[in-house]
Amino acid sequence: MNDDVLRSRVAVAARAHAPALLASLSRRVDQPQDAADLLSETLLIVWRKAERMPASEDEIRPWMFGIAQHVLQHHWRSRARRSAIVERLREQLMPESGFAEGPDFDDLHAALRTLDPVDREIIALVHWDGFSLAEVAGILRMKESTVRSRHHRARARLRGILTREPVVHDGAHA
């Protein structure tokens, strides 16, 4: 079969069956854009395998759906692998002494956002990353006494926000 005939058969088959393929794929994925991507991949494979397209018009639709099913299964396997990799990375990247994420920690994260960026970094380096105050001073290129006092004030502020108690500095309420 010459290229013009193959191109014409693929174009006719795509016009006839792409809407049904898209609807089928849309019902099987979470995101509509994934269905569109899977349809594109399916049609590309149909084009590459045009010489193997069934001669009977009645067999073209099931043949195309078989290709789409294969593409969809590959999508699911890839997605499962990506999820597993992301989960493994998350577990490896979460510091042992660090804070977990999730709705239980929303108040903490909101309280941290109220801190000065340097104070927030001091808290993160000490409590999430496990550095001593002396090490934090070296990392941030600050005097250790400055880091120590900023850490103390930041912790007091966080405690006040999280327990709804007023923050006290040198005997006076802030």
Side-chain angles (χ1 to χ4, degrees), residues 19 24 50 64-65 80 88 97 106 125 128 134 152 165:
S24 176
M64 290 178 74
F65 269 76
R88 275 197 309 262
S97 62
D106 288 348
L125 287 167
W128 288 349
H152 176 75
E165 295 175 4

Side-chain angles (χ1 to χ4, degrees), residues 4-70:
D4 289 337
V5 172
L6 285 176
R7 192 173 302 129
S8 175
R9 290 191 73 217
V10 168
V12 168
R15 276 192 299 277
H17 304 296
L21 284 167
L22 182 59
S24 176
L25 292 167
S26 295
R27 289 188 299 269
R28 289 166 173 78
V29 294
D30 295 330
Q31 303 295 323
Q33 62 269 23
D34 288 346
D37 290 343
L38 295 172
L39 175 62
S40 296
E41 193 172 336
T42 298
L43 293 177
L44 180 62
I45 293 169
V46 166
W47 170 248
R48 287 181 183 154
K49 294 183 174 191
E51 291 180 352
R52 292 185 237 157
M53 183 181 285
S56 166
E57 293 299 319
D58 292 339
E59 295 175 4
I60 292 175
R61 184 172 192 261
W63 179 74
M64 290 178 74
F65 269 76
I67 293 171
Q69 185 64 35
H70 177 77

Side-chain angles (χ1 to χ4, degrees), residues 135-151:
E135 291 169 324
V136 171
I139 292 168
L140 297 179
R141 294 185 169 94
M142 298 171 70
K143 292 182 184 178
E144 186 177 344
S145 59
T146 302
V147 169
R148 190 171 306 285
S149 65
R150 290 186 79 140
H151 179 256

Side-chain angles (χ1 to χ4, degrees), residues 111 152-165 167:
H152 176 75
R153 283 195 308 269
R155 284 187 56 196
R157 179 155 185 202
L158 286 173
R159 189 178 308 110
I161 292 169
L162 294 171
T163 63
R164 312 292 193 256
E165 295 175 4
V167 178

Side-chain angles (χ1 to χ4, degrees), residues 2 25 36 55 81 96 107 118 121 129 147 150 169:
N2 70 32
L25 292 167
R81 277 193 304 271
E96 303 251 337
D107 289 346
V118 174
E121 189 61 19
D129 300 319
V147 169
R150 290 186 79 140
H169 293 287

